[in-house]
Amino acid sequence: MKVLSAFSHIVTWGLSTTSQTGQECVCTSDQPCWPNAEEFSQFQTLVSQPLIYPVPTASACYPTSDPSGNCTEVIENWTDGNWRSSMPGSMEVPHFETIMFKNGTIDACYLNTTITGACGQGRVPVIGVDARSVADIQAGVNFAVKHNLKLVVKNTGHDYLGRSAARGSFVVWTHNMKNITYSPAFVPQGAPANETYYDAVTLGAGVQWYEAYDAVDQYGRIMVGGMSFGGSVGAAGGWLAGGGHSALSPTYGLGVDNAIEISVVLSTGEYLTVNSYQNSDLFWALRGGGGGTYGIVTSVTYRTYPSIPLQLYEFQANSTNSSAMLQLVGELLRSQPQFTDDGWSGYGSISNQTLSFGYMAPNMTNETATATTQAWTNYALSLEPWGVTSGTVMYSYPSFYDLYEPLFSTGPSGGVNLMFSSRLLSRDTVANKYKEVAQVLIDCGATFNMIAGGKVNQIDPDSAGLNPAWRNAVVETVCGFSWQDGTSTTEIQELIDRFRGRIKTMYDLTPNDGAYFNEASLFEINWQETFFGSHYSALKSIKNKYDPHKLFVVAEGVGSDDWNKELTCRF
């Protein structure tokens, strides 16, 4: 079986702690440097919970691997993001539990047990800490530094770059840090006496968005947060570290714009509370500079806002006329600045025969909502002679939570092998290249998120470590592909080659637009610039300052360019 060269980022083989070229390497479980049973037993006395031994999601379907497991439960919950996130060895995207070796063999634990007949550990960490407190995290970090272990930080496993897993690694699992504290008069540590207080909520590292929304709604508040089915994305982890977009962002800004204070454990074991008044450089980096890179976040304090009514505008069009569909998609791109400036945001999808989206507008009357969407409605209707049929519906909701709860509180959010690439389309791009971009999006069957523009564009690009491209973007587009377990490496390689071609086409069309770090692939071109823009060098300096042990290293993360592709040896 031919090995996928494109999978080189997630291929691992045995390495010593000092390579033949003299590189400094971390220790993995297949090496003599790995701690022995007595050392792990001593470590156990330092943490509050029994050490965890993560297993792949489907392990219960292999009795020899997990005799006490329940395969029926696995089958029934395979696509449930909250179920998957409740297990330390389960990843939202299953192929990040899998590893392909250089000789072509595969180590995996497929749901379909007939593919390999055995359950392999793959890239799932082998042992770790079920962190329930700052002290647990500090103990885990100190142990990893002492033994030079390959460390993984995992919360929910919602990660499209595989940062929540690494073969033979030691994991600090923060999922069970669920504290939520609401404060109507929060003042950041170190703030001057005349500092304005915030109506805020502090979320522990393991809080997920469905839990956060439920909590603040009890106080008649809303907050900027993720919108995924089941609400299983972590609210205080990688979502924020990558930027944190939301359907509320055009009104209130991104997640990084609403974080007031962050608590974090460094590789030195030091516990810091950072904000605009203390360790402000680290606070800057943690807001958009990438997850798993500077330390382990233990909590985040966010602004909240009064609950307000909103309008939902749903649109769908169908056509078998490819020219008309191209014109329709192109016009939608060109109309994005008008939509977002009027207060609209939302999500949609594109194919060669359909275009659909649902846009929401907080604190807008039904009359204003109808008026601000009328031009688009009329345009779509004007294409009827060319075979485009379209329809619209307008709904009124008394609050954001009343929309979120029925639409997003349930639904599949994991269990599919997939890769995708994103692009943050700027105002210049949608004004001048909308036709060319529309064709790419139709060809790849794109989804799009109108979660930029508005307030996001009004904030100083240098106010956070976030990629400055966000401050000129009006829409994020996403293209990708998926495959079934057992697909041959040749077929996957063909899909990847086609995928990389589309990434290059979009990059060539929009070289200055960047991508969203949390919704991207390992194959983005010029990833330092694409993910972090002009902030990369500053972020790397901050990374080196606060992570002197070089403990926190993730794929395509700041500083990872100093490591080999397997992120096991430093140049």
Side-chain angles (χ1 to χ4, degrees), residues 4-8 10 95 100 419 481 483 489-503 521 523:
L4 297 180
S5 60
F7 270 67
S8 59
I10 57 176
H95 78 79
M100 296 183 181
M419 296 183 188
F481 70 96
W483 68 95
T489 54
T490 300
E491 291 176 284
I492 297 175
Q493 183 67 67
E494 291 172 354
L495 291 169
I496 289 175
D497 289 343
R498 193 178 311 138
F499 178 57
R500 298 183 80 162
R502 285 176 174 158
I503 290 175
S521 83
F523 313 122

Side-chain angles (χ1 to χ4, degrees), residues 329-337 423-438 440-441 469 472-477 505-514:
V329 174
E331 186 62 22
L332 179 64
L333 291 175
R334 200 169 71 89
S335 301
Q336 288 306 295
R423 209 68 189 161
L424 301 172
L425 302 185
S426 66
R427 289 174 179 265
D428 178 70
T429 292
V430 298
N432 299 304
K433 296 183 179 179
Y434 58 91
K435 291 182 180 178
E436 298 93 331
V437 171
V440 175
L441 299 181
N472 195 38
V474 291
V475 63
E476 177 205 20
T477 60
T505 298
M506 186 65 88
Y507 179 86
D508 290 343
L509 278 172
T510 63
N512 301 316
D513 286 0

Side-chain angles (χ1 to χ4, degrees), residues 9 37 43 92 96 106 108 157 174 183 237 244 282 290 351 392 420 434 483 498-499 509:
H9 285 274
F43 172 58
E92 180 188 19
F96 283 120
I106 300 174
T174 63
S183 174
L282 181 56
S351 75
T392 65
F420 53 67
Y434 58 91
W483 68 95
R498 193 178 311 138
F499 178 57
L509 278 172

Side-chain angles (χ1 to χ4, degrees), residues 409-472:
S409 62
T410 60
S413 59
V416 177
N417 299 311
L418 56 80
M419 296 183 188
F420 53 67
S421 172
S422 65
R423 209 68 189 161
L424 301 172
L425 302 185
S426 66
R427 289 174 179 265
D428 178 70
T429 292
V430 298
N432 299 304
K433 296 183 179 179
Y434 58 91
K435 291 182 180 178
E436 298 93 331
V437 171
Q439 187 64 67
V440 175
L441 299 181
I442 290 172
D443 290 344
C444 76
T447 58
F448 59 95
N449 304 319
M450 196 175 77
I451 36 68
K455 182 70 171 180
V456 177
N457 290 168
Q458 298 165 18
I459 295 173
D460 181 359
D462 294 324
S463 63
L466 182 76
N467 187 346
W470 272 102
R471 303 310 181 184
N472 195 38

